Amino acid sequence: GEKGADHPETLRIKDVATRACEACLLLFYVPGRGDGFFARTYMCADERLPDDGLFFKREGEYAYLRESGYAKELNAVGAKVYCGAPIPERLSHLYTDLGYTEDDLLYKADTSSDEVTLQYLLMRYAHEILGPVDPELDEIIKETIKNTTYHFIDNGYQMVDFHGGPTAWAKWNMDYFNSEMGWSDGALNAAEMMFYLKAADLVLGGDEKIKAALEDVYSLGYPELATKHYERFYKASMANEYDLREDMMYGDHMLSVVSFWQLCDLEKEDEYLEKWKKGFRSWRTTIAKEHSPCYDFAYTLGTGDEIDMDRAANYFYRCPPSRLASGITIDRKDYPMQTRFSGTTKELSSLLPADERFIAKYDRNPMAYCAEDSGGMYCVESCFVYTFAYWTGRYFGLIKGEE
């Protein structure tokens, strides 16, 4: 660290980072399936169960699917799945220290590429930064990334859930890329799988099964497909009579930023590096309009293209690190509003400063017209969008700390 490895502040931050890493790794072990499947999130039995997904309650060596709207839609309430694979003590202390046992845990299944992509980013850097000073943690990271990557490979580049089929949004194979649903996703998902395999190869130091999978996806044309986001997305938007920006799933911005940034960083061959840069630039049309250093820092690190650092500085000045007590004005009448040509989406004509926008998850259109309170399901209290950008900038020398 800037203050030295033994400085009290460095040690405090290391402890915080280590605990956060342990919490994320616990997601891989709470399901206890032993096949590399991992959870979207987990909670304890005395917490309120949301009605927005597939939640399994652990009971001994099996977990049972709790009732929810989605579970009833699948006609799967009460479905039983094995959960007897052990949870490392290094991770289980996170709940045992609070007086809970494994049977007090519930986990959310139907894991998506949102969770996978950021978990692989975490494991890559935790291995490189924390691993050398914490061998026990590093071994868990290696075991975790191996088991999960093997799961993808063994199941035809997809994540398979309790029902024997893929989860809704964790499919990275040619069958999906050539389907009506997956055609416009193909470029991003091809880049995601390339990143997962390259990150696993780095962490494990030359695993033969992973190297063979890399050769396979290269031969299937994943690098070339990864360059076609704008082309495919534009055509899909026109076919469905949507404006390009209106049809965007804004959460894909983070997934593309992480995947292409990492591919650019991990690539050793100039030919493929240019493909990753081309693929990254194909996202710039919609990413740039968010004015977020969360994305812009990764973009300049990956492509080498210049970004507006004054704009980034203004973001940090105007964005509250925590949105928990962030106040905003809704139903803005002082900005002209525009309606996209499908007539279903209203947007402000320009981006509001970060501390004047409605409070939302980072995967929402930041220019969307909002005439209702930003609480409820769209409210986010996490400081993630601020801290991710800040510490990325600090670590890679794009911004300086306090003098």
Side-chain angles (χ1 to χ4, degrees), residues 208-227:
E208 291 302 319
K209 185 169 184 173
I210 290 170
K211 285 189 176 298
L214 273 167
E215 292 177 5
D216 183 44
V217 293
Y218 273 112
S219 70
L220 290 171
Y222 278 42
E224 183 62 31
L225 177 56
T227 68

Side-chain angles (χ1 to χ4, degrees), residues 26 63 147 356 359:
L26 183 55
N147 291 344
E356 296 180 25
I359 303 171

